[in-house]
mmCIF file of all heavy atoms in Angstrom:
data_model
loop_
_atom_site.group_PDB
_atom_site.id
_atom_site.type_symbol
_atom_site.label_atom_id
_atom_site.label_comp_id
_atom_site.label_asym_id
_atom_site.label_seq_id
_atom_site.Cartn_x
_atom_site.Cartn_y
_atom_site.Cartn_z
ATOM 1 N N LYS A 28 -22.850 35.962 3.993
ATOM 2 C CA LYS A 28 -24.272 36.157 3.671
ATOM 3 C C LYS A 28 -24.879 34.885 3.068
ATOM 4 O O LYS A 28 -26.100 34.761 2.980
ATOM 5 C CB LYS A 28 -24.460 37.348 2.734
ATOM 6 C CG LYS A 28 -23.949 37.164 1.314
ATOM 7 C CD LYS A 28 -24.188 38.435 0.511
ATOM 8 C CE LYS A 28 -23.645 38.297 -0.909
ATOM 9 N NZ LYS A 28 -23.826 39.526 -1.705
ATOM 10 N N GLU A 40 -18.562 29.820 -9.361
ATOM 11 C CA GLU A 40 -17.120 29.958 -9.131
ATOM 12 C C GLU A 40 -16.445 28.599 -9.002
ATOM 13 O O GLU A 40 -15.381 28.362 -9.579
ATOM 14 C CB GLU A 40 -16.872 30.800 -7.875
ATOM 15 C CG GLU A 40 -17.318 32.246 -8.023
ATOM 16 C CD GLU A 40 -16.422 33.200 -7.249
ATOM 17 O OE1 GLU A 40 -15.207 33.162 -7.437
ATOM 18 O OE2 GLU A 40 -16.966 33.976 -6.444
ATOM 19 N N LEU A 46 -13.322 21.876 -10.311
ATOM 20 C CA LEU A 46 -13.315 20.852 -9.267
ATOM 21 C C LEU A 46 -14.405 19.801 -9.478
ATOM 22 O O LEU A 46 -14.221 18.642 -9.124
ATOM 23 C CB LEU A 46 -13.488 21.502 -7.894
ATOM 24 C CG LEU A 46 -13.511 20.542 -6.697
ATOM 25 C CD1 LEU A 46 -12.163 19.844 -6.536
ATOM 26 C CD2 LEU A 46 -13.881 21.272 -5.409
ATOM 27 N N THR A 64 -5.776 12.060 -5.222
ATOM 28 C CA THR A 64 -5.713 13.505 -5.429
ATOM 29 C C THR A 64 -7.041 14.150 -5.047
ATOM 30 O O THR A 64 -7.066 15.198 -4.395
ATOM 31 C CB THR A 64 -5.383 13.825 -6.900
ATOM 32 O OG1 THR A 64 -4.137 13.224 -7.248
ATOM 33 C CG2 THR A 64 -5.281 15.331 -7.121
ATOM 34 N N LEU A 104 -26.210 8.151 -22.183
ATOM 35 C CA LEU A 104 -26.424 8.947 -20.973
ATOM 36 C C LEU A 104 -25.233 9.842 -20.667
ATOM 37 O O LEU A 104 -25.394 11.001 -20.266
ATOM 38 C CB LEU A 104 -26.711 8.027 -19.781
ATOM 39 C CG LEU A 104 -28.092 7.369 -19.732
ATOM 40 C CD1 LEU A 104 -28.172 6.409 -18.545
ATOM 41 C CD2 LEU A 104 -29.206 8.405 -19.646
ATOM 42 N N HIS A 138 -42.071 2.472 -6.972
ATOM 43 C CA HIS A 138 -42.005 1.376 -7.937
ATOM 44 C C HIS A 138 -42.111 1.897 -9.366
ATOM 45 O O HIS A 138 -42.604 3.004 -9.612
ATOM 46 C CB HIS A 138 -43.108 0.352 -7.670
ATOM 47 C CG HIS A 138 -44.494 0.912 -7.763
ATOM 48 N ND1 HIS A 138 -45.086 1.600 -6.729
ATOM 49 C CD2 HIS A 138 -45.409 0.897 -8.773
ATOM 50 C CE1 HIS A 138 -46.301 1.980 -7.084
ATOM 51 N NE2 HIS A 138 -46.528 1.570 -8.324
ATOM 52 N N ASN A 157 -29.932 18.526 -2.049
ATOM 53 C CA ASN A 157 -29.883 19.216 -3.348
ATOM 54 C C ASN A 157 -31.242 19.231 -4.045
ATOM 55 O O ASN A 157 -31.363 19.795 -5.142
ATOM 56 C CB ASN A 157 -28.852 18.603 -4.302
ATOM 57 C CG ASN A 157 -27.425 18.793 -3.864
ATOM 58 O OD1 ASN A 157 -27.179 19.240 -2.746
ATOM 59 N ND2 ASN A 157 -26.476 18.449 -4.714
ATOM 60 N N PHE A 181 -32.748 5.009 -12.080
ATOM 61 C CA PHE A 181 -33.208 5.789 -13.231
ATOM 62 C C PHE A 181 -32.607 7.190 -13.167
ATOM 63 O O PHE A 181 -32.475 7.768 -12.085
ATOM 64 C CB PHE A 181 -34.733 5.913 -13.239
ATOM 65 C CG PHE A 181 -35.458 4.601 -13.354
ATOM 66 C CD1 PHE A 181 -35.785 3.865 -12.214
ATOM 67 C CD2 PHE A 181 -35.827 4.105 -14.594
ATOM 68 C CE1 PHE A 181 -36.463 2.661 -12.297
ATOM 69 C CE2 PHE A 181 -36.507 2.888 -14.698
ATOM 70 C CZ PHE A 181 -36.823 2.164 -13.560
ATOM 71 N N GLU A 239 -20.069 7.745 -1.195
ATOM 72 C CA GLU A 239 -20.584 8.785 -0.307
ATOM 73 C C GLU A 239 -19.875 8.758 1.042
ATOM 74 O O GLU A 239 -19.497 9.805 1.581
ATOM 75 C CB GLU A 239 -22.091 8.574 -0.132
ATOM 76 C CG GLU A 239 -22.800 9.673 0.637
ATOM 77 C CD GLU A 239 -24.301 9.430 0.668
ATOM 78 O OE1 GLU A 239 -24.733 8.478 1.357
ATOM 79 O OE2 GLU A 239 -25.031 10.191 0.019
ATOM 80 N N TYR A 344 -18.594 33.487 17.229
ATOM 81 C CA TYR A 344 -17.397 32.642 17.205
ATOM 82 C C TYR A 344 -17.550 31.413 16.296
ATOM 83 O O TYR A 344 -16.613 30.668 16.103
ATOM 84 C CB TYR A 344 -17.035 32.211 18.632
ATOM 85 C CG TYR A 344 -16.234 33.261 19.373
ATOM 86 C CD1 TYR A 344 -16.827 34.458 19.764
ATOM 87 C CD2 TYR A 344 -14.884 33.071 19.667
ATOM 88 C CE1 TYR A 344 -16.101 35.433 20.438
ATOM 89 C CE2 TYR A 344 -14.157 34.033 20.341
ATOM 90 C CZ TYR A 344 -14.769 35.217 20.726
ATOM 91 O OH TYR A 344 -14.029 36.176 21.385
#
Side-chain angles (χ1 to χ4, degrees):
K28 70 181 178 182
E40 294 214 53
L46 179 65
T64 301
L104 286 176
H138 60 278
N157 292 9
F181 298 88
E239 187 176 70
Y344 277 70

